[in-house]
Structures are given as C-alpha cells and as structure tokens.
Amino acid sequence: MSRPAGVLLLLAAMATAACPAAGQAPLLHHDLQAHLDPASGRLQVADTVTLEGRKALRFRLAPWMRLEEMRLDGRRIAAEPAAGSWFVALPDGGRHELSLRLVGSLPALRPEAARGGSGAAGAGPEGSYLPGWAGWLPVTDDDWVTYRLSIEVPTPFRAVATGRLEEEATGEAASRAVFAADYPSEPPSLFVGPYSVSERIEGRIRLRTYFHPDLADHAEAYLAASAGFLARFEAAIGPYPFRDFHVISSPLPVGLGFANLTYIGGMIVPLPFMRARSLAHEVLHNWWGNGVAVAYAGGNWAEGLTTYMADYALAADEGPGAAQEMRLGWLRDYAALPAARDAAVVDFTAKRHEAAQVIGYNKVAFIFHMLSREIGAAAFAEALAKFWQRHRFRVAGWAELRQAFEVAAGRDLRWFFEQWLTRVGAPRLSLGAVAARAEAAHYRLDLTLRQDLPAYRLSVPVVIETAEGREERFVLAEGPETSVSLTLASEPLAVHIDAEHHLFRRLLPGEAPPILRDVTLAADSLTVIAAAEEQAAGTARQLAERLLDTPLRLGSGDPAGLGPTPLLLIGTTPEVEGFLAAAGLAGVPESLAGRGTARVWTARHNDGLPLLAVAANDAAALQALLRPLPHYGSRSYLVFDGRRALETGTWPVDDSPLSRRLDR
C-alpha cells in the first residue's frame, strides 16, 4: 500500500502549520456541486470558491475540463489561461466568492491510471477515480482547503469521497451524497462504482465498505477488522481524527491511502494479508500523514512510523520470532541495496521505486524500533501521544518528533537523530578478540567490537551463553574499536553479537542468504530469457521488466558469455535448466523441483554474485506471476500454483561471523 504521489505534493514548501495562524489568510473553501455519468465519462461541476485575505487566485484544470463560465461576486468575468493555468485578479483583500461552471469528459479508466500515484483521473463502467489534484476541480497552490461536495451519479452507481459523509439519498434513477471537511484538508478525492455498501457504527465513527458486488461477502470481515484497528490506534495515540472510515474496491491494480479511506484493487481484497496487515497500515495513516501532515522538506517520517506501529507491531503480536524475522528481512533488503542507490533518511519523501521503500519504510521503521529501546517503551508511547495532541491537523517534521521524544525521555537526543537521519549508510560491526578466564569467585569475559568509520554510537546487545543459561548485556560502542571486560557468575561458553537483530546495520557475509532484491535492485543486473516458444519469451520479458527496479539489460542465451554481474534467468523450465547446466550451475533445488506451476529461487554464481531464476511450466504460468511475484522481493525461494504462492521462504544461515564459541 502507498500514499498517492499527489498527496505527497503537500510538500516541501509546507513548513508552517496547517491551521491558519494569526494574521494569515483563512483557508480556501470549495462549495462543489458535481454530476458524473461513469458510462460516458461526462462530468459537470459547479464550484463556488470563497477566499479572503489575498489579491489574486491562480488555478489550473485538467485538459479535458472546460471552463464555461466564471463569476466574481456574482459578476461575470472573463479570464484567459496562461502557461497552463488561470489567473484571477481580486479588487482587494476582503472576502470574495469566485463561481465557476465546468464541464468535461473524463478519459477512460486505464490500469496504469493510478499506478505509482500518477494522479491521473479516469471513468468507466467498473469505476471512476478522481483524485483531488487531477484537475477535475480548480487546483491551486493551497495544499490545505475546506470543502463541501455534493455528488450525484446515476443508479446503480454510488459515489464516495474523502471528508465527512453528511447526507445521502438513493433513488431509482440516481443517488446523491454530500461530503464535507470543515478542518484543514487536502482537496477532495472522489470515487464512483457500482458498489454494494455495508456499514457499521463504532461509537462516533461510521465504518463503510464500498465493494463491487462480487466482493460483497468480504464486507463484514473488513468492517470488523477496521473497527479493531481503529480501537487499537486510538488507545495508543489518541482519538481518531475523522468521523468516517471507508474501504473502497478499485478496478485498478492499486493500493492507495487517502484521508479517512483506502482505495484498493479488487483482486487483493480477498487476500488475507490485505485485511490482516495492510489495512492496519492504511488505518494508521489517518493519524500519521493525514491527521498530522508531513513537512516534506526535512524528509517523510510518516511511512516509517506507520510501518513500525502497524506492520511491525502486528508481527510482534505473533511473538518474538515473527518480530525478529521482520527486522532481519529489513536488514536483508538493505544488504541488497546497491551503495549508489542508498540515501539519507532526510532525503526520502515518497516511494517512487523499491530502493526508496528500503530507506523510507524499512530503515525508518527500524530507527523507531531502536529509539523505543533507547528511551523505553513508556516514554516512546508518551512522546507520540503528546506529538499527536500538539500537531493534529498541522504540519510537522523530524524536528518536532525529536522535540517530543526529548521531552518524554528527559534528555538530549540530538546525537541519535543526527546519526540516523542525516548519514547515508549504516554501521558495520565485527567481532574481534574474545577471551574468558576464571577468577576467584567469578569469570571474566574480555571482548572487542569493531565498526567501520564513520563510527556510530550504538548500544550493542551481547548475548552470552553460560553454563547456567543465557545472559544479555549491552556494550556502548562509540568508536572504531571498543574493548570491554564483563564479569559473569558462571563459565561463558559462547558469545553472540546482536543475535536478534535489534540494530540497523550492514549484515556481514554469512549473515544473509541471497534474496530476490539482490538482483532486482542491482543497477547492473543482466537478464537472460530462456524460452523456446515466442509467447512464453514475450511474457518472460514482461515479467522481467516488472521485477527489476532498474532498466532491463538483456543478455544472450550463451552461458559462456556470462560476466561478473547479478543475473536474472527467466523462462520455461526445460530451457532454464538447460542454461544452468550449460553454465555449470545447479538446477532447480530439490525441495522445489516438480512442484506447482512455477518455481522461483536465488543462488550464487561467478564467485558469489546473486542469481535469480524463474522457471515456469509454460507461458500461462509465467503470465500468472506478473502481479504477485514483484511483491516477494525479500524471499529466497517460492513455489507458485498459478497466482497463488504455495510456499515462500529464505535459505537458512548456519554460522554467523558475529558469534564465537569459546574453547574450554
């Protein structure tokens, strides 16, 4: 799931509070009357814009919208577009009303319309998508507005928008609904479809699903899950900032979060992960990202905090093992990130590619995990609750977050935020000399930790296996080498450094098995298509383009021509195995062979370089992988039956270079 790119254009220029401060102009207000016929795409909009405290207004419209009439304070005025926008001069800085009558024909809804958050609007019989920044209403430089939107659509369509649902009426010929935001809000986004609507009231909150009829059986499960997540985050942070939360099915292959709703592709609505985890992420964005907006000039903190408090917290609910596996997965993803694509946290604004997710979601979530351990869970929770109270419906950045955590912790945390937010990279730890000796009434354990420069300040967890059990100690490492002497009551048998992966750091060789992202993120990956049949070869190429986060580089089918580069080998099983055999490489792993309709696995070639192989039974089996496979970048192997993943996992790691057994 992601935040649409248009939402993220709130953005760097926004360094002031969302609510107008004393002396600032009041927020722009839109009073909108709209009628949309999804079948034809015809849209009619009447917008009365109330503005005060400004001398002019500049706005733009989508090229498919036509301005038929414009009136200022009831008097018809003429204006000509210039440089793609309209400019209206105002007689003074007092209160004025600008009325516009707009007509347009939306382009046909296309699968790529919302992919990547492009902000493109579209209409069709299965649904219509009109994000607030797409130009179906006047788009100004005002990132925050208030509005009232009345929308009418013909039966059997239903319309839903961001904002509070105030009125609705459904008749034989048409349905009408009114949505409003009297708080600082993004411009309204509108969604229309032949929806079956289900509702549940939880206290003051109205929960709804707007699902296509074939998905209606999932409504109750989504309403119950949404209610549970809302209660969870209210208890952790503070009251939900809106009156409604809607889950809307989309004919587009998207997963997008907006204020008080989420818009998700119909094909993933039935999938367990969507309701069990991704939904929680979207619910929480109503606090982080919508309730408190991001000051993008200093970096986007909301995606990582949401990942930590939703995705990671749900994994932790399953037990320490699941939480550790998620942390290790984040470290594996980071290990797969080429150094040239690494970036400082303060430079992350939005997920535009997989590399950005590794930093803005995973690394930032890990930073919050380390911060919670640094100051304690109670102070961490207190800081977020106070941060929410102070900045609700305002813009805040990392500086405001740091201030909240410092107040709750009662100490200066500049060092923590500076090293984790402004530096590119991560610490690399290694274990030096380790020795143990018996003394009069106890044992002495001497060990040395090393880290590459520039050194980080780290509280390093050290687990010591003793004759009486396991002990955990923490070693403060601040320089390139730290030597400590630990006193133990019983004989030490082994030492493990950060064995449960509580530190964001570079994994050492031997700590991480190969995963799909080792190849898909690499800028120099080479792709070999191994398929004799033309249709299978074409589909294999299409799948390769979807998998790779960098431009496709095709290699020949001659194994002798393999160079020192990460390799993506993709095609049908006989040809894939033939290529591997000719290259002197192992074929399908025994644990995967003969299973499902497609096998995917990672291995090493050419002195340790990563290899990703995709071997499918035929063109149809490759076609089935187009949508699901790109979502499994953190895995080492998978078995698919059509679109369904029968088994996924990572190859085991036997010996860690950060563990040492002691000679007795």
Side-chain angles (χ1 to χ4, degrees), residues 8-295:
L8 299 171
L9 294 177
L10 268 171
L11 70 128
M14 297 184 65
T16 57
C19 299
Q24 290 182 338
L27 293 177
L28 207 67
H29 179 78
H30 293 266
D31 193 336
L32 295 144
Q33 307 282 329
H35 180 278
L36 172 64
D37 180 6
S40 66
R42 181 172 174 78
L43 174 66
Q44 298 170 286
V45 177
D47 186 9
T48 299
V49 183
T50 303
L51 58 166
E52 187 175 351
R54 57 183 84 194
K55 296 181 179 179
L57 183 71
R58 187 183 297 275
F59 63 90
R60 68 171 179 84
L61 295 169
W64 39 265
M65 285 296 282
R66 183 175 73 255
L67 176 58
E68 291 199 322
E69 183 181 86
M70 183 160 50
R71 293 179 178 270
L72 179 62
D73 298 328
R75 181 174 57 86
R76 187 165 184 167
I77 60 172
E80 294 295 329
S85 64
W86 300 76
F87 180 84
V88 179
L90 301 173
D92 54 56
R95 181 183 175 91
H96 298 281
E97 287 189 351
L98 181 68
S99 300
L100 305 101
R101 188 157 53 86
L102 310 167
V103 176
S105 293
L106 274 78
L109 195 69
R110 302 181 309 277
E112 65 272 18
R115 185 174 296 138
S118 68
E126 292 189 3
S128 301
Y129 170 67
L130 293 83
W133 54 91
W136 64 275
L137 75 160
V139 177
T140 70
D141 290 335
D142 298 79
D143 296 294
W144 296 96
V145 300
T146 59
Y147 61 85
R148 184 180 188 275
L149 166 63
S150 174
I151 172 68
E152 183 177 290
V153 294
T155 303
F157 294 97
R158 298 286 294 271
V160 55
T162 52
R164 180 177 61 249
L165 175 60
E166 290 201 330
E167 302 174 23
E168 66 178 344
T170 303
E172 292 184 6
S175 67
R176 174 181 170 273
V178 177
F179 299 88
D182 52 10
Y183 44 81
S185 173
E186 300 156 4
S189 292
L190 174 62
F191 314 84
V192 177
Y195 293 130
S196 171
V197 180
S198 297
E199 180 177 289
R200 177 171 174 170
I201 303 297
E202 289 288 331
R204 61 181 182 82
I205 305 171
R206 183 202 310 268
L207 302 172
R208 277 192 171 184
T209 57
Y210 289 79
F211 282 174
H212 287 81
D214 61 320
L215 299 171
D217 289 347
H218 298 281
E220 288 304 316
Y222 269 85
L223 292 172
S226 298
F229 293 138
L230 285 165
R232 178 189 184 115
F233 299 132
E234 282 196 323
I237 304 167
Y240 178 65
F242 305 107
R243 295 295 297 274
D244 307 90
F245 181 73
H246 309 306
V247 185
I248 308 167
S249 66
S250 166
L252 300 170
V254 297
L256 301 174
F258 296 80
N260 76 270
L261 62 83
T262 183
Y263 188 57
I264 56 179
M267 68 170 292
I268 65 172
V269 166
L271 301 181
F273 82 86
M274 180 60 235
R275 188 177 69 249
R277 183 162 294 174
S278 297
L279 180 62
H281 188 103
E282 296 312 312
V283 169
L284 184 52
H285 262 313
N286 288 284
W287 281 264
W288 309 136
N290 291 320
V292 180
V294 177

Side-chain angles (χ1 to χ4, degrees), residues 453-470:
L453 293 174
Y456 286 69
R457 178 177 171 180
L458 304 170
S459 180
V460 181
V462 178
V463 173
I464 306 157
E465 291 183 32
T466 75
E468 301 297 327
R470 294 166 65 92

Side-chain angles (χ1 to χ4, degrees), residues 291-325:
V292 180
V294 177
Y296 287 95
N300 181 346
W301 50 268
E303 290 296 356
L305 182 55
T306 300
T307 299
Y308 178 62
M309 294 187 68
D311 307 67
Y312 178 78
L314 290 171
D317 287 350
E318 298 173 18
Q324 180 183 347
E325 182 60 33

Side-chain angles (χ1 to χ4, degrees), residues 194-545:
Y195 293 130
S196 171
V197 180
S198 297
E199 180 177 289
R200 177 171 174 170
I201 303 297
E202 289 288 331
R204 61 181 182 82
I205 305 171
R206 183 202 310 268
L207 302 172
R208 277 192 171 184
T209 57
Y210 289 79
F211 282 174
H212 287 81
D214 61 320
L215 299 171
D217 289 347
H218 298 281
E220 288 304 316
Y222 269 85
L223 292 172
S226 298
F229 293 138
L230 285 165
R232 178 189 184 115
F233 299 132
E234 282 196 323
I237 304 167
Y240 178 65
F242 305 107
R243 295 295 297 274
D244 307 90
F245 181 73
H246 309 306
V247 185
I248 308 167
S249 66
S250 166
L252 300 170
V254 297
L256 301 174
F258 296 80
N260 76 270
L261 62 83
T262 183
Y263 188 57
I264 56 179
M267 68 170 292
I268 65 172
V269 166
L271 301 181
F273 82 86
M274 180 60 235
R275 188 177 69 249
R277 183 162 294 174
S278 297
L279 180 62
H281 188 103
E282 296 312 312
V283 169
L284 184 52
H285 262 313
N286 288 284
W287 281 264
W288 309 136
N290 291 320
V292 180
V294 177
Y296 287 95
N300 181 346
W301 50 268
E303 290 296 356
L305 182 55
T306 300
T307 299
Y308 178 62
M309 294 187 68
D311 307 67
Y312 178 78
L314 290 171
D317 287 350
E318 298 173 18
Q324 180 183 347
E325 182 60 33
M326 183 168 284
R327 296 192 300 272
L328 179 56
W330 291 339
L331 297 181
R332 287 189 184 112
D333 288 347
Y334 184 70
L337 183 69
R341 306 192 71 192
D342 203 350
V345 164
V346 292
D347 293 329
F348 167 76
T349 56
K351 179 188 173 183
R352 296 183 176 89
H353 40 64
E354 289 297 311
Q357 177 167 331
V358 172
I359 301 299
Y361 289 65
N362 301 1
K363 182 177 181 178
V364 174
F366 217 127
I367 289 169
F368 282 114
H369 172 68
M370 291 187 294
L371 181 58
S372 179
R373 287 171 62 85
E374 174 70 29
I375 69 174
F380 186 88
E382 177 187 341
L384 290 178
K386 293 292 178 60
F387 176 75
W388 168 247
Q389 292 168 14
R390 182 169 184 178
H391 298 288
R392 179 176 178 268
F393 289 134
R394 299 173 73 87
V395 177
W398 280 108
E400 288 76 17
L401 271 167
R402 175 187 149 194
Q403 181 183 41
F405 285 114
E406 286 182 335
V407 170
R411 55 190 171 99
D412 186 358
L413 294 170
R414 178 187 296 271
W415 64 271
F416 181 92
F417 283 87
E418 286 188 348
Q419 74 177 13
W420 291 114
L421 303 188
T422 63
R423 291 189 191 178
V424 177
R428 186 192 305 271
L429 288 174
S430 60
L431 180 58
V434 180
R437 63 183 184 275
E439 296 189 343
H442 56 264
Y443 289 84
R444 180 77 60 186
L445 176 66
D446 298 317
L447 62 86
T448 298
L449 294 175
R450 299 190 180 99
Q451 58 171 311
D452 293 355
L453 293 174
Y456 286 69
R457 178 177 171 180
L458 304 170
S459 180
V460 181
V462 178
V463 173
I464 306 157
E465 291 183 32
T466 75
E468 301 297 327
R470 294 166 65 92
E471 292 190 27
E472 185 176 45
R473 303 290 180 87
F474 293 89
V475 174
L476 180 62
E478 296 185 274
E481 186 169 295
T482 302
S483 296
V484 295
S485 185
L486 305 175
T487 301
L488 302 167
S490 57
E491 181 183 7
L493 306 177
V495 174
H496 309 283
I497 306 303
D498 192 31
E500 297 180 349
H501 306 100
H502 286 294
L503 296 176
F504 188 82
R505 57 182 176 83
R506 295 191 180 278
L507 295 174
L508 300 178
E511 280 194 281
I515 59 173
L516 273 63
R517 284 199 176 103
D518 288 330
V519 174
T520 62
L521 288 180
D524 58 343
S525 288
L526 190 69
T527 298
V528 172
I529 304 298
E533 196 265 323
E534 184 177 348
Q535 183 180 356
T539 305
R541 176 171 179 150
Q542 187 180 1
L543 178 56
E545 290 173 338

